[in-house]
């Protein structure tokens, strides 16, 4: 990839690498332990012009190819997954608004999202509909020049800390064609946020339910037309899944970095354990998986930037990168032996964090479904 970067893009990635190393990474362990959302780091992303990287400059975005944006997500995730994943989720919501909002809503919301003043979130799942996303039951009823929303959404990353939500609701009959997408500002009366879920990891990234009781949003907040919300949600997820792949590669890289550093300084049998083939081969497999996962997301991003279909490749990248992150994190703990199982080293946290990447934005079983359906549809 580096050979294909312009000088400007190289400089951007160097800026991000030093920001991540100096200001993001030192925060991760304590914020995770305290369950503290690092909002100030997102404000800094905005100040560094990193909140809208893959959007047109004419709109106030960074005008960068998707691959460059993903490298930024990877670098941030390597430092602190909650921040890299947070940027990815923000971008998922921003994309839906940039592409599908009415001119009035777009003018109101998009500049704030691209500048990082507003943090975005995306809300598709419900307590009763996760993988079967088209079964959602939260209702949005048209009432004059507004939609009135009733129902409960679930598993919302940034629930309670976002400024604006993209919410998929049912405006029509059952199935995907009865779904519409709405922009819901966080301060909408009738919207309340549940207590954050108590999770295995990612405590610094709040996940919560959104409860709608007669919540009214202006009709201009509809994305696209009524009934287009499911396709918008799925298209947004194609890009979002590449974000998750980049998060996974960043996390895996962090685990490998730790494993290598440990293996060259830890001595057993009179020499560094890195020189023991059983350990060295583990490191080699970890590094190979990471390179392959990175190549996969960059190739999918190149297809996206070229305007080619990349739905299948995005699912493959998400699947492979998150499975790789899981395996690499397990092996990084193994390289550390007993120390790896303690909270004195970050690898136990990486292991807990890797797990969620096999679940979010479509479980890896759903990715396989997407890939196999795409293969057979074209056969
Ligand atoms: N881009 C554009 N349109 C898409 C699309 C995409 N990537 N994927 C699906 N669509 C459209 C289809 O073309 C179809 O439109 P028509 O009715 O006009 O033909 C419609 O959406 C329904 O698609 P499909 O029939 O594939 O819907 P299913 O109910 O079978 O659901 C899966 C498909 C299972 C793939 C989908 O529900 C899914 O991705 N589930 C996981 C949800 C998820 O990732 N949740 C995490 C959210 S983040 S908290």
């Amino acid at each position: 990839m580096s050979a294909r970067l312009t000088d400007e893009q190289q400089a951007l990635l160097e800026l991000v690498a030093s920001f991540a190393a100096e200001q993001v990474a030192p925060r991760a362990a304590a914020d995770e332990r305290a369950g503290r959302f690092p909002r100030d780091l997102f404000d800094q992303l905005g100040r560094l012009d990193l909140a809208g990287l893959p959007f047109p400059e004419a709109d106030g975005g960074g005008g960068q190819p998707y691959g460059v944006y993903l490298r930024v997500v990877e670098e941030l995730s390597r430092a602190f997954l909650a921040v890299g994943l947070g940027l990815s989720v923000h971008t998922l919501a921003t994309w839906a608004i940039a592409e599908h909002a009415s001119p009035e809503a777009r003018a109101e919301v998009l500049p704030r999202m691209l500048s990082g003043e507003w943090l975005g979130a995306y809300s598709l799942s419900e307590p009763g509909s996760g993988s079967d996303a088209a079964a959602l039951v939260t209702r949005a009823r048209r009432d004059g020049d507004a939609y009135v929303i009733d129902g409960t959404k679930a598993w919302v990353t940034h629930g309670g800390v976002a400024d604006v939500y993209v919410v998929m609701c049912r405006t029509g009959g059952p199935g995907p064609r009865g779904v519409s997408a709405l922009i819901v500002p966080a301060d909408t009366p009738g919207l309340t946020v549940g207590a954050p879920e108590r999770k295995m990891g990612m405590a610094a990234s709040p996940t919560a339910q959104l409860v709608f009781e007669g919540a009214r949003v202006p009709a201009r907040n509809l994305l696209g037309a009524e009934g287009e919300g499911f396709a918008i949600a799925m298209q947004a997820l194609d890009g979002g899944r590449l974000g998750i792949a980049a998060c996974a590669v960043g996390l895996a890289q962090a685990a490998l970095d730790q494993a290598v550093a440990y293996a060259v300084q830890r001595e057993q049998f009179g020499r560094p354990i890195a020189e023991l083939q059983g350990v060295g081969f583990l490191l080699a497999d970890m590094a190979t998986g990471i390179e392959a996962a990175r190549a996969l997301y960059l190739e999918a991003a190149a297809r996206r930037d070229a305007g080619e279909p990349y739905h299948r490749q995005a699912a493959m990248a998400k699947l492979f990168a998150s499975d790789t992150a899981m395996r690499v994190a397990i092996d990084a703990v193994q390289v550390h032996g007993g120390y790896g199982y303690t909270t004195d080293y970050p690898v136990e946290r990486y292991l807990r964090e890797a797990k969620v990447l096999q679940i979010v934005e479509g479980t890896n079983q759903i990715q396989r479904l997407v890939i196999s359906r795409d293969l057979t549809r074209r056969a």
Side-chain angles (χ1 to χ4, degrees):
M1 174 78 186
S2 50
R4 281 180 261 148
L5 291 176
T6 64
D7 289 349
E8 185 208 3
Q9 289 165 349
Q10 193 67 50
L12 170 73
L13 290 177
E14 281 164 19
L15 168 94
V16 172
S18 53
F19 169 66
E22 287 158 24
Q23 299 190 51
V24 181
R27 293 279 298 280
D31 282 356
E32 283 297 335
R33 215 174 296 121
R36 189 168 49 225
F37 178 64
R39 179 64 194 239
D40 59 308
L41 293 178
F42 287 93
D43 294 341
Q44 288 205 57
L45 289 180
R47 281 196 289 277
L48 293 169
D49 288 333
L50 299 174
L53 279 177
F55 297 94
E57 283 176 292
D59 287 328
Q64 291 297 329
Y66 213 68
V68 170
Y69 150 72
L70 291 174
R71 292 296 295 246
V72 170
V73 170
E74 179 190 326
E75 197 62 46
L76 293 170
S77 303
R78 181 181 180 184
F80 188 175
L81 183 61
V83 175
L85 188 131
L87 178 61
S88 179
V89 166
H90 172 75
T91 305
L92 176 68
T94 307
W95 180 87
I97 292 166
E99 289 290 316
H100 296 286
S102 67
E104 303 90 316
R106 197 174 188 275
E108 205 174 293
V109 178
L110 191 60
R112 293 184 162 110
M113 297 189 80
L114 294 179
S115 70
E117 180 192 343
W118 278 8
L119 184 66
Y122 170 98
S123 176
L124 175 64
S125 300
E126 298 187 355
S129 61
S131 292
D132 187 7
L136 64 87
V137 295
T138 291
R139 266 263 152 218
R141 174 175 54 83
R142 182 76 191 244
D143 181 24
D145 60 357
Y147 283 96
V148 181
I149 312 172
D150 285 284
T152 301
K153 305 300 290 185
W155 306 113
V156 183
T157 301
H158 296 163
V161 298
D163 301 287
V164 64
Y165 300 94
V166 170
V167 183
M168 271 48 77
C169 303
R170 189 159 301 286
T171 50
R177 292 188 179 191
V179 175
S180 298
L182 288 164
I183 303 172
V184 182
D187 59 2
T188 301
L191 164 59
T192 51
V193 180
E197 304 290 346
R198 294 190 300 270
K199 305 187 300 264
M200 179 192 281
M202 295 286 280
S205 174
T207 308
Q209 290 194 345
L210 304 182
V211 180
F212 294 92
E213 291 166 304
R216 254 184 123 75
V217 295
R220 64 173 183 275
N221 285 15
L222 180 69
L223 297 179
E226 274 194 20
E228 290 180 1
F230 191 77
I232 292 172
M234 290 297 120
Q235 273 176 42
L237 278 178
D238 286 341
R241 287 167 181 168
L242 287 183
I244 299 301
C247 288
V249 173
L251 182 69
Q253 185 67 56
L256 175 63
D257 295 345
Q258 290 291 329
V260 170
Y262 185 81
V264 296
Q265 61 82 24
R266 170 75 172 171
E267 293 193 357
Q268 291 291 280
F269 307 105
R271 55 194 169 141
I273 61 169
E275 291 178 17
L276 303 171
Q277 210 170 54
V279 173
F281 280 16
L282 271 185
L283 297 176
D285 284 347
M286 291 156 82
T288 305
I290 292 169
E291 288 287 342
R294 186 177 289 124
L296 207 48
Y297 87 61
L298 288 173
E299 173 57 22
R303 292 178 72 98
R304 177 187 162 112
D305 284 327
E308 294 164 16
Y310 72 104
H311 176 59
R312 185 200 311 177
Q313 288 75 13
M316 287 174 167
K318 193 275 183 186
L319 166 66
F320 185 78
S322 58
D323 280 356
T324 298
M326 193 70 219
R327 189 168 47 76
V328 167
I330 287 174
D331 289 345
V333 171
Q334 193 68 18
V335 167
H336 283 71
Y339 293 106
Y341 200 65
T342 71
T343 55
D344 297 338
Y345 288 81
V347 287
E348 65 80 31
R349 174 162 60 80
Y350 298 154
L351 175 52
R352 290 183 288 105
E353 291 176 342
K355 184 63 214 168
V356 84
L357 300 175
Q358 295 180 307
I359 299 170
V360 290
E361 297 198 20
T363 63
N364 283 2
Q365 287 67 34
I366 289 295
Q367 307 309 322
R368 290 182 173 92
L369 183 84
V370 167
I371 296 162
S372 62
R373 276 189 184 179
D374 196 63
L375 286 170
T376 49
R377 191 165 53 83
R378 279 152 209 270

